[in-house]
Amino acid sequence: MNIPVRSHAAQGAALALALTVTLTACGKDEDAGSSKAADDSSPSASKPLEDPVVATYDGGLYFLDGKTLKLAKTVKVPGFNRVNPVGDDTHVMLSTDNGFRVVNAVEQTLTDIEYKGAKPGHVVRHAGKTVLFTDGTGEVNVFDPADLADGKKPKGRKHTSDEPHHGVAIELKNGELLTTLGNEEKRTGARVLDKDGKEIARNEDCPGVHGEAAAKGEAVVVGCENGALMYKDGKFKKIDAPDEYARIGNQAGSDASPVLLGDYKTDPEAELERPEQVSLIDTRTGKLRLLDLGTSYSFRSLARGPHGEALVLGTDGDIRVIDPEKGKVVRTVPAIGEWKEPLDWQQPMPVLFVRDHTAYVSEPGEKKLHAIDIESGEKKASVTLPKTTTELSGVVAGH
């Protein structure tokens, strides 16, 4: 789960605003043009969904069939909410005003499982574990998503950061926990704790640390405002960028590729930079290279395909398919119409969510969602929804 941070000048104010402002829920839903069940929030209103997709709008959630994109149910949840996969084939994680809340996407219901705390932030899935970072408290919760099956809050690992900050954490296969360092004023780097909670590594040469991704071979990289920071084989390595200010705040990794896809911004004074380059970090060599796309994109535009291919949804409406080894765009897939990233990151913008061989793309300006086959480029399904959507996700089993 990624929340963008902008220039040095606007960073503090923008981050504070982004993390604290919630939007007021709208009034009654417009007619969905479907059965009553599609607008009914009662637990028994809908049949179970297979491979559900979940979209958020200002004031609620849409649950859709992953193959047909048929709207199955609408559930109202006040305010601005975020949604992420949990790591099993049933649930997604909702970030609300009060903290993290587990949602049964198959049954289209809100469960009673909550991780309460101010400013719920990143949700990370890796090595069979799900890690939640609560920015307002600095609390990190780690659990096995399979333990959600019994309907009870999983027993798991808990860690509290030295100071609350907009952070992220990830647990590795061997039980090591990488977590960021910082406070509400600035973020400086990351440290690693062993399975018993003892610090075994630290690096504070990562100003503005934000976002994470894991590559094939379990190299983990977090973004900085002067490149990136990699943790691999028990050691940190700084990855330098060709520009003095080079912010990498959002990344996408794949178990099928040692190369990580990231954004790349070079203007520290921009209110909102609309970059046209992406970063590709080879975790085998610790080297970074840049790729010109010829179009801008947003922090919601990055994803990975089933074979490790890097995917970027451009503001021209096309998905660029990148060979991460060659560092080249190998083809483009038409997806939606042209769009422009809004100044406020909470405002609706297109989202790229990839599951298996399908790219799900939202088109907020048209109130539409599309399901596109990544290999063939065929648009398999589309739907027009009652309201403009903000976020798009779904159940994703495994990491």
Side-chain angles (χ1 to χ4, degrees), residues 6 271-272 274 298-300 339-350:
R6 297 183 180 126
E271 181 180 10
L272 173 64
R274 296 184 171 94
S298 83
F299 74 101
R300 301 187 194 274
W339 56 282
K340 185 177 182 179
E341 183 181 1
L343 290 176
D344 181 355
W345 71 270
Q346 289 189 346
Q347 292 301 307
M349 70 184 83

Side-chain angles (χ1 to χ4, degrees), residues 3-332:
I3 298 176
V5 181
R6 297 183 180 126
S7 69
H8 287 305
Q11 181 174 337
L15 181 59
L17 178 64
L19 291 174
T20 58
V21 171
T22 54
L23 305 180
T24 306
C26 293
K28 186 177 180 181
D29 284 353
E30 300 169 29
D31 184 9
S34 57
S35 66
K36 181 180 178 182
D39 198 37
D40 190 341
S41 297
S42 62
S44 59
S46 300
K47 295 179 180 180
L49 284 175
E50 289 188 16
D51 300 322
V53 170
V54 182
T56 67
Y57 65 90
D58 179 17
L61 309 174
Y62 291 129
F63 294 91
L64 305 104
D65 181 283
K67 293 183 179 179
T68 66
L69 291 185
K70 181 180 179 181
L71 176 60
K73 189 176 179 182
T74 301
V75 173
K76 295 177 181 178
V77 184
F80 174 82
N81 303 290
R82 310 202 73 194
V83 64
N84 284 276
V86 171
D88 65 3
D89 59 4
T90 304
H91 301 91
V92 294
M93 188 66 72
L94 191 67
S95 303
T96 72
D97 289 351
N98 300 318
F100 295 102
R101 187 167 184 180
V102 177
V103 176
N104 188 321
V106 172
E107 299 293 337
Q108 305 124 67
T109 57
L110 304 179
T111 75
D112 294 328
I113 303 173
E114 293 183 89
Y115 293 83
K116 293 184 178 181
K119 305 176 186 176
H122 287 255
V123 179
V124 175
R125 300 171 296 114
H126 180 72
K129 296 294 176 63
T130 301
V131 184
L132 312 176
F133 197 106
T134 303
D135 295 346
T137 62
E139 186 174 280
V140 176
N141 283 281
V142 184
F143 63 90
D144 185 338
D147 292 341
L148 294 170
D150 63 4
K152 298 179 181 179
K153 189 173 182 177
K155 295 180 179 179
R157 179 179 187 175
K158 183 180 289 188
H159 165 73
T160 302
S161 306
D162 292 342
E163 296 182 80
H165 64 282
H166 177 46
V168 67
I170 179 172
E171 185 173 280
L172 306 185
K173 293 177 183 177
N174 61 6
E176 293 178 355
L177 181 71
L178 184 151
T179 183
T180 51
L181 295 164
N183 54 42
E184 293 181 352
E185 300 299 322
K186 65 177 182 178
R187 303 185 305 278
T188 58
R191 65 174 174 169
V192 177
L193 310 176
D194 67 15
K195 60 183 180 181
D196 298 316
K198 179 183 177 182
E199 182 175 309
I200 57 175
R202 173 185 287 247
N203 187 297
E204 295 191 58
D205 184 19
C206 187
V209 59
H210 188 270
E212 56 66 46
K216 181 180 180 181
E218 209 177 32
V220 175
V221 175
V222 293
C224 315
E225 290 177 348
N226 59 359
L229 185 64
M230 179 171 68
Y231 181 73
K232 180 181 177 182
D233 299 329
K235 297 179 181 180
F236 279 110
K237 175 182 174 62
K238 185 60 187 291
I239 298 173
D240 295 321
D243 297 278
E244 183 178 353
Y245 177 84
R247 183 179 184 274
I248 300 173
N250 303 279
Q251 298 185 70
S254 169
D255 290 341
S257 172
V259 181
L260 297 174
L261 168 69
D263 57 1
Y264 192 79
K265 296 182 178 181
T266 58
D267 185 356
E269 303 303 325
E271 181 180 10
L272 173 64
E273 184 175 349
R274 296 184 171 94
E276 296 192 1
Q277 290 181 309
V278 292
S279 56
L280 295 167
I281 295 175
D282 191 328
T283 60
R284 296 165 298 189
T285 62
K287 300 294 184 182
L288 177 152
R289 59 179 166 177
L290 301 176
L291 175 62
D292 245 316
L293 298 181
T295 184
S296 64
Y297 58 92
S298 83
F299 74 101
R300 301 187 194 274
S301 294
L302 310 180
R304 301 303 289 263
H307 309 295
E309 58 269 57
L311 306 173
V312 182
L313 175 66
T315 54
D316 59 359
D318 293 345
I319 299 172
R320 280 156 177 76
V321 181
I322 300 167
D323 182 326
E325 292 287 342
K326 297 178 180 178
K328 295 181 178 180
V329 176
V330 293
R331 57 193 170 89
T332 58

